[in-house]
């Protein structure tokens, strides 16, 4: 992409700025109206006159939108353009924090799947459904423990209409076995619930493993994009703080 420095000494029309980044002239005008770009100086005839500083802002915004989201990028640029740098940095920190949280979630799932792989396969039972007592005996835990796992969202047994007694299916037993394994490994109930939920959505540990691999790749891609966007944002902030003498801003 052409850098903002290419036009440092020139004045750009909306169409000139748009062509550099592959947008329409109307999109550029809309971004200015939305506070994403700083206000343009108007010529005597009322036409907008953009500069290298506007291109720097536009490149920073587009990079932030790709790395995070349109709304986050908009909030960051609006804050910078209104001299609220602390607010802009807070949004940037929030984006980084969410990226870190997602990365930690993927790592938790992957390490748990590795622990599951290292265990002997769970023996299948001929029993089609289990009572809470049956399942507690199978795992060597108490019924109270199973109720706690249910409250945490790990288990979702059905209830018998007439008595209200819990009944656990084969999938419930699988989830309970995995929860027991992960609990022994020191995982928190909230993390176990998340892992079990992802396994249910994926359909199997194999499918979940493939999903987390793809997820990890996307996070790395986003991290690189955010690194690039942060550099462009830093350039814009610095250029805005010390404008060129030829810049009519």
């Amino acid at each position: 992409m052409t850098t903002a420095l290419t036009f440092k000494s020139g004045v750009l029309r909306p169409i000139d700025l748009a062509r550099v980044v592959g947008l329409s002239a109307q999109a550029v005008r809309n971004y200015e109206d939305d506070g994403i770009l700083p206000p343009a100086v108007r010529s005597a005839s009322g036409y907008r006159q953009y500069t290298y500083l506007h291109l720097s802002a536009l490149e920073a915004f587009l990079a932030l939108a790709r790395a995070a989201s349109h709304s986050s990028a908009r909030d960051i640029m609006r804050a910078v353009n209104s001299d609220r740098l602390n607010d802009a940095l807070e949004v940037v920190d929030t984006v980084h924090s969410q990226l870190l949280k997602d990365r930690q979630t993927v790592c938790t799932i992957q390490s748990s799947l590795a622990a599951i792989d290292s265990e002997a396969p769970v023996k299948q039972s001929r029993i089609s459904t289990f009572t809470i007592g049956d399942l507690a005996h199978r795992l060597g835990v108490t019924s109270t423990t199973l109720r706690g796992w249910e409250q945490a969202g790990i288990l979702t047994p059905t209830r018998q209409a007439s008595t209200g007694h819990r009944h656990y299916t084969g999938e419930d037993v699988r989830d309970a076995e995995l929860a027991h394994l992960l609990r022994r490994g020191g995982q928190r109930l909230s993390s176990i619930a998340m892992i079990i939920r992802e396994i249910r959505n994926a359909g199997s540990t194999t499918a979940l493993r493939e999903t987390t691999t793809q997820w990890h790749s996307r996070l790395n891609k986003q991290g690189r994009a955010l690194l690039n966007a942060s550099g462009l944002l830093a350039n814009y902030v610095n250029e805005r703080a010390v404008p060129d003498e030829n810049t009519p801003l």
Side-chain angles (χ1 to χ4, degrees):
M1 179 180 289
T2 304
T3 64
L5 294 178
T6 303
F7 298 96
K8 190 166 186 178
S9 61
V11 174
L12 301 172
R13 301 169 299 170
I15 189 61
D16 298 325
L17 194 61
R19 284 171 177 165
V20 175
V21 296
L23 295 174
S24 68
Q26 185 58 52
V28 171
R29 289 189 286 266
N30 290 342
Y31 284 151
E32 181 192 346
D33 294 339
D34 204 22
I36 291 169
L37 302 182
V41 170
R42 298 281 183 152
S43 68
S45 55
Y47 290 107
R48 304 175 198 234
Q49 296 180 319
Y50 294 118
T51 69
Y52 83 95
L53 192 62
H54 294 90
L55 180 55
S56 180
L58 187 56
E59 288 183 336
F61 166 73
L62 294 175
L64 287 166
R66 288 190 293 268
S69 67
H70 184 282
S71 61
S72 294
R74 179 196 60 205
D75 292 345
I76 291 168
M77 299 306 296
R78 281 178 173 176
V80 171
N81 291 331
S82 57
D83 297 319
R84 294 181 290 110
L85 185 57
N86 284 341
D87 292 343
L89 293 177
E90 184 175 342
V91 180
V92 173
D93 290 344
T94 299
V95 173
H96 278 286
S97 178
Q98 184 60 56
L99 184 61
L100 175 60
K101 182 179 179 181
D102 290 345
R103 190 178 297 280
Q104 290 172 335
T105 296
V106 171
C107 289
T108 296
I109 295 174
Q110 289 179 328
S111 63
S112 298
L113 289 173
I116 291 170
D117 290 341
S118 67
E119 290 286 320
V122 176
K123 294 181 179 180
Q124 297 297 317
S125 174
R126 296 179 181 178
I127 305 175
S128 58
T129 61
F130 286 71
T131 65
I132 191 169
D134 294 332
L135 185 55
H137 177 74
R138 177 182 174 89
L139 298 178
V141 300
T142 65
S143 297
T144 300
T145 295
L146 295 181
R147 294 189 187 96
W149 292 356
E150 182 179 344
Q151 291 176 353
I154 296 170
L155 299 178
T156 56
T158 58
R159 296 276 190 149
Q160 190 175 37
S162 59
T163 63
H165 292 166
R166 295 171 174 83
H167 285 274
Y168 299 86
T169 65
E171 289 187 354
D172 294 323
V173 174
R174 177 206 65 187
D175 294 344
E177 294 279 4
L178 293 178
H180 193 213
L181 165 64
L182 298 175
R183 195 67 174 141
R184 292 201 309 271
Q187 292 288 353
R188 295 175 299 174
L189 291 181
S190 58
S191 295
I192 295 172
M194 178 268 296
I195 293 165
I196 296 298
R197 183 171 59 251
E198 293 297 334
I199 290 176
R200 289 176 189 151
N201 293 337
S204 68
T205 56
T206 299
L208 179 58
R209 189 174 293 103
E210 294 173 355
T211 298
T212 54
T213 298
Q214 295 169 1
W215 191 0
H216 192 270
S217 178
R218 288 196 301 270
L219 290 175
N220 284 340
K221 183 178 180 180
Q222 183 185 0
R224 290 192 297 270
L226 190 55
L227 183 64
N228 177 65
S230 297
L232 292 172
L233 177 62
N235 289 339
Y236 173 59
V237 170
N238 293 334
E239 290 164 355
R240 195 172 183 279
V242 187
D244 185 85
E245 59 181 8
N246 295 321
T247 304
L249 289 180

